[in-house]
Amino acid sequence: MSDKILLLPDNIANQIAAGEVIQRPASAVKELLENAVDAGATAVQLIVVDAGKTLLQVIDNGSGMSETDARMCFERHATSKIRNIDDLFHIHTMGFRGEALASIAAVAQVELKTKRPEDEAGTYIEVENSVVVTQEPVASPDGTSIAMKNLFFNVPARRNFLKSNAAEMRHIVEEFTRVTMAFPHILFTLTSNGQQLMHLEPGSLKQRIVQLLGSSYNAKMVSVAEQTDYMNIHGFTGKPETAKKTRGDQYFFVNNRFIKSAYLNHAVMSAYQELLPADSFPMYVLFIDLDPTQVDVNVHPTKQEIKFEDEKIVYAFVQAAVKHALAQFSITPTLDFDLDASIQQLPSVSQPFTSDQQQKASGSSLYQGFTQKHQAHFIEKPSGQELKSWRDFYEPLPKEEALFDYEKTAQQQHLAIQNKRNRFEIDGDTELTQVWNTYIMMPADQSFLLINQQAAHERVLYTQMKQAAAGTPVIIQKSMFPVTLELSPSDAVLLAELLPDLRMLGYEIEPFGNNSFVVQGTPADLEDTDEKHLIDFTLEQYKHFSSDIRVSNREKLIRSLARQRAVKNGNRLTDREMRQLVTDLFRCEPFNTAPDGNPTYLEFKQDQIEKMFGR
């Protein structure tokens, strides 16, 4: 019997290994930009064609490479960053594995031009499928230019799994943002399909953050700066009013390397605990500097997951630094220990405590619980009268009253919904009452409904927009004074991807260059609104839904617009508005849930309520 185990050829082994490092064009962007930074470059250009599928090129003015180094850089595990095992624990560079260029050369056609300042001529190398095709001297400026063409040309299955150009471009911008934010002293430019998307001049960290995340943060950031013998932390965190519904604008860097850490994110969120609602996330850009021996970056090929020697110390330090920064700028709430003058006039304070009152107070169970031994956790036995009907209260509803019974046929389910709809129809005599400017109370047959106005309106708008997307586009009302929107680079790429679907839903928005857009028209049925706030909120909601891969882009957009346009809880509605909303709700299919799956109303039956009162 012949042997079964064979040694794979180098080109196949390289393609397998490349899958861990180069997952999409953005992965190559990260590796090439980090190499340019390690080379000491002061100016770096990123050129992209077709979201990196056709061309992805990085040009820098760094130290360049010799002819031998230029040839060696495409070999696996060939690196200038480490020499022995101890160097792994003293890493100060971005790259160190020696896998990036070898992986890129295994799945793309690569052209390299490089020259050191002391050399008269540079070196040109062409690599295809891990094989050097051409090597010759060339006239070249100081530095290095690496062009990656036709990504995954030799791995068709991997190329087919790439997303649309707009989606891949979003990932490229994301990686570009992470690297450029860590090095604000370097000039970076990004050009896509011949159009310059970003030109980032050297400057301070705050200037770079504003360039990347938008001018809205310019006056709404708090400086964080703490130093100890163990570690230092610096950067900026956003004021509570800048919080968003997604985690997009959150960046952690350890020794200038971007990392993902739910553990450290929790430390920051705990510092904001009393300042933000549970579903809001603050902006932060925080840099942690500590001894490389205290952190292990050799955990994952992307180097975005790391391990700390003592993560509890790091957690406590980050939490304390953010809290201190917020308190220093008078953002955290303070306690007022001055006694209100009105309290002084209360009878319990101003009137004497008589002996009769003292005797009465000392006989209470509350007083005994605080003064006598073994009484603090003593619970008096209830009389039983008030709990006599507890079993009745928790008895399940009759099966025929359930809205959905999965044992029923589809026809029976449909009939049950129709019966429900008929019971809830309103007429001119139906009285609707708004409670807390949030709920609509509506009487029904031997019951009443408590309708959440925002959830109900989201369902109505969602249904209308779904019908518009499947049929005739929404009528557009042209703006007399078009509004210009200035977005962050990443949001600009996202909005450009959504423009066709937005137009079908009644929003006429045109690119205006340099991450700007002009709103030429909005849906004709949309009342006067702040277009910039509407678009910003919609983009945030869209990113909030982006984690659900089962939902199409159009579905995410419709959900986002429905949530943005819906009447918010806390708004006062007229009787006419309430009637129209309730009527529209029960015309929807389904009508009992909002697009996010939460209920639009709760039904309280008469017999249930009577049982609660012991009747």
Side-chain angles (χ1 to χ4, degrees), residues 216-229:
S216 61
Y217 287 120
N218 191 24
K220 297 181 179 180
M221 291 189 296
V222 175
S223 175
V224 179
E226 298 286 348
Q227 295 185 353
T228 67
D229 294 336

Side-chain angles (χ1 to χ4, degrees), residues 377-398:
H377 302 285
F378 179 76
I379 301 176
E380 293 184 0
K381 184 178 180 180
S383 63
Q385 185 67 22
E386 63 272 20
L387 298 177
K388 64 180 182 180
S389 60
W390 71 272
R391 292 184 182 275
D392 296 335
F393 178 71
Y394 283 103
E395 282 183 358
L397 292 175

Side-chain angles (χ1 to χ4, degrees), residues 197-213:
L197 298 184
M198 279 186 267
H199 183 92
L200 307 177
E201 289 287 346
S204 66
L205 174 60
K206 184 175 182 179
Q207 290 172 331
R208 181 58 56 89
I209 292 174
V210 171
Q211 287 175 319
L212 291 170
L213 302 186

Side-chain angles (χ1 to χ4, degrees), residues 34 192 239 256 275 278 368 557 585:
E34 289 182 347
S192 175
K239 295 181 179 179
N256 276 356
L275 303 176
Q368 295 174 4
L557 180 60
L585 173 63

